[in-house]
Amino acid sequence: MTLFRLRALGALRSLTARPAWLVVGSGLLLGIGYAIFRGVAAGVRWLYAYPLVDRLAPTVLQRSLEGLFLMLMAAVLFSVLVASIGILYGSADLELLLAQPTGRARVFGMKVVELFVNAAGLPLLFTLPVLAGVGVALGAGPLYYLVSAVAASALYALPVALGALLALVLVRVAPAGRVREVATAASVSVAALALLGLRALRPEQLFRLGDQDADAFERFLTSFARLDAGWLPPAWAANASWAALDGRVHAGLLVLLATGAAGLGLAGLLAHVAFARGWVRSLDATPVAAPRRRSATPWWERVLVARFGVAGAIIVKDTRVFMRDVQQWSQLIVLAALAGVYFVSLASIPVPTQQFRDVLGAMNIAFVGFIVAGIGLRVAYPSVSFDDGAFWLSQVQPVRKRAIVLAKFLFALPLMLVLALGLGVTAGKVLDASPVLAFGAPLAAGLGALAITALAVGLGAANARFEFTSPNELVMTPGAFAYMALALAYTAIVTVLLARPAWLVISGGGTAAYWSTAEGLAVIAVLTALTVGTVIAALAFGVRQLARTEAGLPGG
Amino acid sequence: MLELVQLTKRYGRTAAVDGLDLAAKAGEVLALLGPNGAGKTTAIRCVTGLIKPSGGRILIGGHDVEREPIAAKTLTGFVPDRAWFYPKVTARELLRYLASVRGLSAAESRMDALLERFRLTRSADSLTETFSHGMRQRLAFCAALIGNPRLFIADEPMVGLDVQGHRDVKLLFRELAAAGLAVILTTHTLAVAEEVADRIAVIDRGKLVALGTLAELRARLNRSDDTSLEELFILLTEPQAPGSDEHLASPERT
């Protein structure tokens, strides 16, 4: 227990180190949680009151819970696979922990708990208000709240156990010499394949809507209610929660708990045999002293330094580190997988009419913003903190904080722009959206990439942490929550600003000439002003806060 | 070259550095000594811009570190006690990066000379994550010197160096001072301070306790010429019973 207590105390101290940010981040999280709770409660009441579907409502709701559990379990699995090697084998505190007279399985257990908090913490925080909303709307008793919370936790523990097992195996089988790099790359690739594989099943084919059917909605709900996936763990969790509404304990809960315990038990057993050896193996092999070929300063380095000065030199250094650090470049695999999932999803949605295509085109503007914000959290937000223990070098050199923040922004921007514009343009083509949206979506995506990258870099600089046991910790901080909230708020404002042209198109009134009318130009001007303002404010805030940072030397 | 005027650094109610007045001239080696927690490293981190002072002024070559940090840092080279670098960058790439941020063109020959001087030529194109502590420390010297500083600061520079490294560094300090640089070092290895320092500053509990040459410190404490620096240091810094000794009660410079 001492290990857990120490780790929990460390996490608590790091959370409370900046009380203002903790208050802001917690406030935003609580606000989002409350909005989810109220929204779900209202939605459930509406569903039960809807005349056509009242008899179907309980089943539809149960299936919706299953769908939510499935989606979030997939998200947890994805996060676990991406983070497992870093947390289980790359944490800086392992050297100290494994040197103590304590069981290796116990150390491994603590790291698995850390993995659970990192990967399943946020999904669980979003699940609980949903379950509470359902419970309040249906007047559930205390048993429901207890069972549903336990079922959700046990459900999300399954992918954590799976990820831990995979990490144990990968580190043992990865080729000597580059164990951690290969294991991390393999793990991230498995995550990307799992995500693409799940999506490639195209579950929406099971209940495809008819074209212009007046009873389509009811038939959709009927077919949705008939979907039975009782053999999947999300259904066990949903069934257990549902039975608890009537005061019953469903066998699904026991199966879920037994499976989770078996998975963690197996991982613990394997860890007893393989964890310490795997860790030693990864240590032995990580720093391979293979000299690189000496070369003259490459042309791209000369161009960047000549064009951007100090910021250019920082970009050159960051490019090298990015290309050589598997934890950083593997994010590109994640990015490609997410883009792939998005396009598969768009191509799978039945779009019978132009009107429907334009509705999706309008929604695409918001979706792209959400995706770019999520990628920004992994790619741009930690960019200043990635300097880690070497930040002292920047502190003692004649380098303005402005140059550091600008360099990080310019480094992350091309990646974010390519992603956002790619999604905006391609989605428009896939959907064959009307010209107004075919122009509006890439415009919003491009401007969104600028603003969201600046928010990520600015808030990441303002909340830079140069001592962390694993980079995954960085995205579970109050500053990261604040960034996500602001990025989503920006996306919401842009979506609202583009609602008018979208409505014109959907109602049949919009033409390609819209963007050259006074109204169209005004929308562009407001969007541009909002973006420029966000970029300047976010970066300036990051520069000011970074200048106040007293950190940089390990242990300093 | 360096002037500290009433430098103060507080952490809550605790003063890590408490009204420190100190100056280092061009061409001298000044050793900053003191027991653990005396405030040496804190003072040096204030000078190098790693942390911000709570009060007082720091002037480097006449430039105020707070108001003109770029000008002040351009004149400074710093070696920390535990140097850490970007792990996925080679030694040569690191030095090239530092030359770029300092706006130095044609730094390749200086880079090669520094790598040679600190016995890193064979490892120059290896990633720094493969370096031992001693190699990282030697690379820190290269990094500190790449920008032709006028003020050279080293915080516990001997930690992790081998015997040859010790000797090289001691020679380096004298060479740098001879070339007109102001050199400041903190160390717990009193023999090094005795050997290379022109003047010695003793700090205790954030305050300057004594400052002068070794001979001046001996004279101040009324000790003979064969009294070692270690004895003087203990006399200056050991906790005293109230009223038992007068030397701590008169911290004026020698």
Side-chain angles (χ1 to χ4, degrees), chain B residues 114-144:
Chain B
L114 284 169
L115 289 167
E116 177 72 34
R117 166 82 200 247
F118 289 95
R119 297 180 286 123
L120 285 170
T121 304
R122 283 203 311 167
S123 312
D125 298 300
S126 296
L127 300 180
T128 63
E129 70 179 1
T130 66
F131 280 22
S132 67
H133 178 76
M135 288 166 80
R136 277 207 295 270
Q137 207 62 20
R138 282 184 271 139
L139 180 58
F141 275 94
C142 298

Coordinates of all heavy atoms in Angstrom, one line a residue, chain B residues 114-144:
Chain B
L114 N 36.3 22.2 -29.6 CA 35.8 21.9 -28.2 C 35.6 20.4 -28.0 O 35.9 19.9 -26.9 CB 34.4 22.7 -28.1 CG 34.5 24.2 -27.8 CD1 33.2 24.8 -27.9 CD2 35.1 24.4 -26.4
L115 N 35.1 19.8 -29.0 CA 34.9 18.3 -28.9 C 36.2 17.6 -28.7 O 36.3 16.7 -27.9 CB 34.2 17.8 -30.1 CG 32.7 18.2 -30.3 CD1 32.2 17.9 -31.7 CD2 31.8 17.4 -29.2
E116 N 37.2 18.1 -29.4 CA 38.6 17.5 -29.3 C 39.1 17.8 -27.9 O 39.6 16.9 -27.2 CB 39.5 18.2 -30.3 CG 40.9 17.7 -30.3 CD 41.1 16.3 -30.8 OE1 40.4 15.9 -31.7 OE2 42.0 15.6 -30.2
R117 N 39.0 19.0 -27.4 CA 39.5 19.5 -26.1 C 38.9 18.7 -25.0 O 39.5 18.3 -24.0 CB 39.1 21.0 -26.0 CG 39.3 21.5 -24.6 CD 40.8 21.8 -24.3 NE 41.1 21.9 -22.9 CZ 41.4 23.0 -22.3 NH1 41.5 24.2 -23.0 NH2 41.7 23.0 -21.0
F118 N 37.6 18.3 -25.1 CA 36.9 17.6 -24.0 C 36.8 16.1 -24.4 O 36.0 15.4 -23.8 CB 35.5 18.2 -23.7 CG 35.7 19.5 -23.0 CD1 35.7 20.7 -23.8 CD2 35.9 19.6 -21.7 CE1 35.8 21.9 -23.1 CE2 36.1 20.8 -21.1 CZ 36.0 22.0 -21.8
R119 N 37.6 15.6 -25.2 CA 37.7 14.2 -25.6 C 36.4 13.6 -26.0 O 36.0 12.5 -25.5 CB 38.3 13.4 -24.4 CG 39.7 13.9 -24.0 CD 40.3 13.1 -22.9 NE 39.7 13.5 -21.6 CZ 39.1 12.7 -20.8 NH1 39.0 11.5 -21.0 NH2 38.6 13.2 -19.6
L120 N 35.7 14.3 -26.8 CA 34.4 13.8 -27.2 C 34.3 13.6 -28.8 O 33.2 13.3 -29.3 CB 33.2 14.8 -26.8 CG 32.9 14.8 -25.3 CD1 32.0 15.9 -25.0 CD2 32.2 13.5 -24.9
T121 N 35.4 13.7 -29.4 CA 35.4 13.6 -30.9 C 34.8 12.3 -31.4 O 34.0 12.3 -32.3 CB 36.9 13.8 -31.5 OG1 37.3 15.1 -31.0 CG2 36.9 13.8 -33.0
R122 N 35.2 11.2 -30.7 CA 34.8 9.9 -31.2 C 33.3 9.7 -30.9 O 32.6 8.9 -31.6 CB 35.6 8.8 -30.5 CG 37.0 8.6 -31.1 CD 37.5 7.3 -30.8 NE 37.4 6.9 -29.4 CZ 37.6 5.6 -29.0 NH1 37.9 4.7 -29.8 NH2 37.5 5.4 -27.7
S123 N 32.7 10.4 -29.9 CA 31.3 10.3 -29.6 C 30.5 11.4 -30.2 O 29.3 11.5 -29.9 CB 31.1 10.2 -28.1 OG 32.0 9.3 -27.5
A124 N 31.1 12.3 -31.0 CA 30.4 13.5 -31.4 C 29.1 13.2 -32.2 O 28.2 14.0 -32.2 CB 31.4 14.3 -32.3
D125 N 29.1 12.1 -32.9 CA 27.9 11.8 -33.7 C 27.1 10.7 -33.1 O 26.3 10.0 -33.8 CB 28.4 11.4 -35.1 CG 29.1 12.6 -35.8 OD1 28.5 13.7 -35.9 OD2 30.3 12.5 -36.1
S126 N 27.2 10.5 -31.8 CA 26.3 9.5 -31.1 C 25.2 10.3 -30.4 O 25.5 11.5 -29.9 CB 27.1 8.7 -30.1 OG 28.0 7.9 -30.7
L127 N 24.1 9.7 -30.2 CA 23.0 10.4 -29.5 C 23.4 10.6 -28.0 O 24.0 9.7 -27.4 CB 21.7 9.5 -29.5 CG 21.1 9.3 -30.9 CD1 19.9 8.4 -30.8 CD2 20.9 10.6 -31.7
T128 N 23.0 11.7 -27.4 CA 23.4 12.0 -26.1 C 22.8 11.0 -25.1 O 23.3 10.9 -23.9 CB 23.1 13.4 -25.7 OG1 21.7 13.6 -25.7 CG2 23.7 14.4 -26.6
E129 N 21.7 10.3 -25.4 CA 21.1 9.4 -24.5 C 22.1 8.2 -24.2 O 21.9 7.5 -23.3 CB 19.8 8.8 -25.1 CG 19.9 7.9 -26.3 CD 18.6 7.4 -26.8 OE1 17.6 7.8 -26.2 OE2 18.6 6.6 -27.8
T130 N 23.1 8.0 -25.1 CA 24.1 6.9 -24.9 C 25.2 7.4 -24.0 O 26.1 6.6 -23.7 CB 24.6 6.4 -26.2 OG1 25.3 7.4 -26.8 CG2 23.4 6.0 -27.1
F131 N 25.3 8.7 -23.6 CA 26.4 9.2 -22.9 C 26.4 8.8 -21.4 O 25.4 8.8 -20.8 CB 26.5 10.7 -23.0 CG 27.0 11.2 -24.3 CD1 27.0 10.4 -25.5 CD2 27.5 12.5 -24.4 CE1 27.5 10.9 -26.7 CE2 28.0 13.0 -25.6 CZ 28.0 12.2 -26.8
S132 N 27.6 8.6 -20.9 CA 27.7 8.4 -19.4 C 27.6 9.8 -18.8 O 27.6 10.8 -19.5 CB 29.1 7.8 -19.1 OG 30.1 8.7 -19.4
H133 N 27.5 9.8 -17.4 CA 27.4 11.1 -16.7 C 28.6 12.0 -17.0 O 28.4 13.2 -17.3 CB 27.2 10.8 -15.2 CG 27.1 12.1 -14.4 ND1 26.0 12.8 -14.4 CD2 28.0 12.7 -13.7 CE1 26.2 13.9 -13.6 NE2 27.4 13.9 -13.2
G134 N 29.8 11.3 -17.0 CA 31.0 12.1 -17.2 C 31.0 12.7 -18.6 O 31.4 13.9 -18.8
M135 N 30.6 11.9 -19.6 CA 30.5 12.4 -21.0 C 29.6 13.6 -21.1 O 29.8 14.6 -21.8 CB 30.2 11.3 -21.9 CG 31.3 10.3 -22.1 SD 30.6 8.8 -22.9 CE 30.6 9.4 -24.6
R136 N 28.4 13.5 -20.4 CA 27.4 14.5 -20.5 C 28.0 15.8 -19.8 O 27.8 16.9 -20.3 CB 26.1 14.1 -19.8 CG 25.2 13.3 -20.6 CD 23.8 13.4 -20.2 NE 23.6 12.9 -18.8 CZ 23.2 11.6 -18.6 NH1 23.0 10.8 -19.6 NH2 23.0 11.2 -17.4
Q137 N 28.7 15.6 -18.7 CA 29.3 16.7 -18.1 C 30.3 17.4 -19.0 O 30.4 18.7 -19.1 CB 30.0 16.3 -16.8 CG 30.1 17.3 -15.7 CD 28.7 17.8 -15.2 OE1 27.7 17.1 -15.4 NE2 28.7 19.0 -14.6
R138 N 31.1 16.6 -19.7 CA 32.1 17.2 -20.6 C 31.4 17.9 -21.8 O 31.8 19.0 -22.2 CB 33.1 16.1 -21.1 CG 34.1 15.8 -20.1 CD 35.1 14.8 -20.6 NE 34.7 13.4 -20.4 CZ 34.8 12.4 -21.3 NH1 35.4 12.7 -22.5 NH2 34.4 11.2 -21.0
L139 N 30.3 17.3 -22.2 CA 29.5 18.0 -23.3 C 29.0 19.3 -22.8 O 28.9 20.3 -23.5 CB 28.4 17.1 -23.8 CG 27.5 17.6 -24.9 CD1 28.3 18.0 -26.1 CD2 26.4 16.6 -25.3
A140 N 28.6 19.4 -21.5 CA 28.1 20.6 -20.9 C 29.1 21.7 -21.0 O 28.8 22.9 -21.2 CB 27.7 20.4 -19.5
F141 N 30.4 21.3 -20.8 CA 31.5 22.3 -20.9 C 31.5 22.9 -22.4 O 31.7 24.1 -22.6 CB 32.8 21.7 -20.5 CG 33.1 21.8 -19.0 CD1 32.7 20.7 -18.2 CD2 33.6 22.9 -18.5 CE1 33.0 20.8 -16.9 CE2 33.8 23.0 -17.1 CZ 33.5 21.9 -16.3
C142 N 31.4 21.9 -23.3 CA 31.4 22.3 -24.7 C 30.3 23.3 -25.0 O 30.4 24.4 -25.6 CB 31.3 21.1 -25.7 SG 32.6 20.0 -25.6
A143 N 29.1 22.9 -24.5 CA 27.9 23.7 -24.7 C 28.0 25.1 -24.1 O 27.6 26.1 -24.7 CB 26.7 23.0 -24.1
A144 N 28.7 25.2 -22.9 CA 28.8 26.5 -22.2 C 29.8 27.4 -23.0 O 29.7 28.6 -22.9 CB 29.3 26.2 -20.8

